[in-house]
Amino acid sequence: MGRRKVEIKRIENKSSRQVTFCKRRNGLMEKARQLSILCESSVALIIISATGRLYSFSSGDSMAKILSRYELEQADDLKTLDLEEKTLNYLSHKELLETIQCKIEEAKSDNVSIDCLKSLEEQLKTALSVTRARKVYMLLLRYSVT
Amino acid sequence: MGRRKVEIKRIENKSSRQVTFCKRRNGLMEKARQLSILCESSVALIIISATGRLYSFSSGDSMAKILSRYELEQADDLKTLDLEEKTLNYLSHKELLETIQCKIEEAKSDNVSIDCLKSLEEQLKTALSVTRARKVYMLLLRYSVT
DNA sequence: CTAGCTATATATAACAA
DNA sequence: TTTGTTATATATAGCTA
């Protein structure tokens, strides 16, 4: 789509990589907008440049709503895949919530470390049961990663 | 880019809207992939069709990592915008966590309703202080919405 | 970096299967 | 729904300012 055909691999020249990033990023967002309007759909697009700058676009529904929907789907997939699901009962749900509560308690004194949250992740893996608990779990996982 | 120029507005014919959705969706994902590779960037793309079907694509970093980054940025923006931020102190942080803890307690007996979480949102709005607390807040908000 | 300017490479609208 | 063909509309690579 230009004077010359380009191979899809990292553009070596820093300057032209930057220019291409800017142009294609705008093109991608415009395409996303068009798809959303033409076909009554919702589109969320997040782009992070090599230097860490963030660009986002959403159309149709709000970004938050689209991301929620995505996460809900992921949570459901997880539920479907978990073979131990059926063997877990309300007690493990309760245990999960108690573990979270405990963690909140620690957060109050501001002593939460990444390692601490990682170990929580391990505990939660075995404590998961109902979908609601799974959601809390996923959210806390994300919290610990950022 | 076809036999005829099309206006960017909802395609009325259901059948051609569907065909266009399929083709442009694939095109958008391919463009996202190319941008990511050509310019060393990370791209997350989530598309929800009019019938509610979800399609997603990510490249560079994982979807989870990209979404985390996005949310972190939003949380920071929120912090920057909040004029009352500077007047809030550690106590409000603690209050926030206690409110969350209380909510978790309720969740244990499985009596959480949307209304209940909505009122929590209101309480949290005034209790927010540090970034960490903000993150928990945003996550709980999302939890209540889905 | 950011903004045009073409010449070309691509995407895709309409149609068919 | 998805796939393939072909004529056109667009996007954009390489330059320039």
Side-chain angles (χ1 to χ4, degrees):
Chain A
M1 257 151 134
R3 297 298 180 96
R4 184 174 300 182
K5 179 186 171 81
V6 293
E7 253 192 291
I8 303 303
K9 67 187 183 73
R10 193 187 110 107
I11 295 170
E12 291 306 329
N13 183 281
K14 187 177 173 178
S15 161
S16 57
R17 187 168 66 242
Q18 169 56 41
V19 172
T20 293
F21 179 69
C22 179
K23 288 183 176 181
R24 279 181 174 256
R25 173 167 47 77
N26 289 329
L28 193 60
M29 292 204 175
E30 174 59 15
K31 285 286 186 184
R33 187 188 71 87
Q34 294 181 355
L35 175 64
S36 165
I37 296 172
L38 289 170
C39 307
E40 288 198 301
S41 48
S42 295
V43 181
L45 179 61
I46 299 172
I47 303 170
I48 303 174
S49 76
T51 57
R53 212 190 306 243
L54 186 140
Y55 305 83
S56 67
F57 169 84
S58 63
S59 181
D61 283 321
S62 70
M63 179 65 85
K65 193 163 183 184
I66 298 170
L67 299 191
S68 296
R69 173 62 211 290
Y70 172 81
E71 275 156 9
L72 184 61
E73 187 113 342
Q74 297 308 108
D76 288 347
D77 287 351
L78 208 62
K79 184 179 172 187
T80 307
L81 291 171
D82 189 352
L83 298 174
E84 293 184 54
E85 169 86 13
K86 292 170 192 62
T87 69
L88 295 170
N89 54 25
Y90 180 70
L91 185 63
S92 62
H93 177 199
K94 192 179 168 194
E95 281 169 359
L96 168 65
L97 290 165
E98 280 170 351
T99 310
I100 292 167
Q101 184 173 39
C102 167
K103 200 50 60 179
I104 295 285
E105 197 68 68
E106 289 183 48
K108 261 198 249 181
S109 49
D110 234 341
N111 288 327
V112 188
S113 69
I114 295 298
D115 284 356
C116 182
L117 285 163
K118 283 219 158 67
S119 78
L120 168 64
E121 172 181 345
E122 291 309 315
Q123 291 169 56
L124 293 178
K125 274 179 183 164
T126 60
L128 283 174
S129 63
V130 301
T131 304
R132 170 163 291 159
R134 283 179 187 286
K135 285 188 204 166
V136 175
Y137 162 68
M138 292 191 67
L139 296 174
L140 280 175
L141 262 192
R142 169 155 303 174
Y143 172 47
S144 76
V145 172
T146 47
Chain B
M1 253 146 134
R3 297 297 181 96
R4 184 174 302 181
K5 179 186 171 80
V6 293
E7 254 192 290
I8 303 303
K9 67 188 182 74
R10 192 187 113 106
I11 295 170
E12 291 306 330
N13 183 280
K14 187 178 174 178
S15 161
S16 57
R17 187 168 66 241
Q18 171 56 41
V19 172
T20 294
F21 179 69
C22 178
K23 289 186 173 180
R24 279 182 174 255
R25 171 167 49 78
N26 289 330
L28 193 61
M29 293 206 176
E30 174 59 16
K31 286 285 188 184
R33 188 188 71 86
Q34 295 181 355
L35 175 64
S36 166
I37 296 172
L38 288 170
C39 308
E40 287 198 303
S41 48
S42 294
V43 182
L45 179 62
I46 298 172
I47 303 170
I48 302 174
S49 76
T51 56
R53 212 192 305 245
L54 186 141
Y55 305 84
S56 67
F57 169 84
S58 63
S59 181
D61 284 320
S62 70
M63 179 65 85
K65 194 163 181 182
I66 298 170
L67 299 191
S68 296
R69 174 60 211 292
Y70 173 80
E71 275 157 9
L72 184 62
E73 187 113 341
Q74 296 310 106
D76 288 348
D77 286 352
L78 208 62
K79 184 179 171 186
T80 306
L81 291 172
D82 190 350
L83 297 174
E84 294 183 53
E85 170 84 14
K86 291 170 190 63
T87 68
L88 295 170
N89 54 24
Y90 180 72
L91 185 63
S92 62
H93 177 199
K94 193 179 167 193
E95 281 168 359
L96 169 64
L97 291 166
E98 280 170 351
T99 309
I100 293 167
Q101 184 173 39
C102 166
K103 201 49 60 178
I104 293 285
E105 199 69 67
E106 289 182 46
K108 262 198 251 185
S109 50
D110 234 341
N111 288 326
V112 188
S113 70
I114 295 298
D115 284 356
C116 183
L117 286 162
K118 283 218 157 68
S119 77
L120 169 63
E121 171 182 344
E122 291 308 315
Q123 291 170 56
L124 293 179
K125 274 178 183 165
T126 60
L128 283 173
S129 64
V130 301
T131 303
R132 170 163 292 158
R134 284 178 187 284
K135 286 188 205 165
V136 175
Y137 162 68
M138 291 191 69
L139 297 174
L140 280 175
L141 262 192
R142 169 154 303 174
Y143 170 48
S144 75
V145 172
T146 47

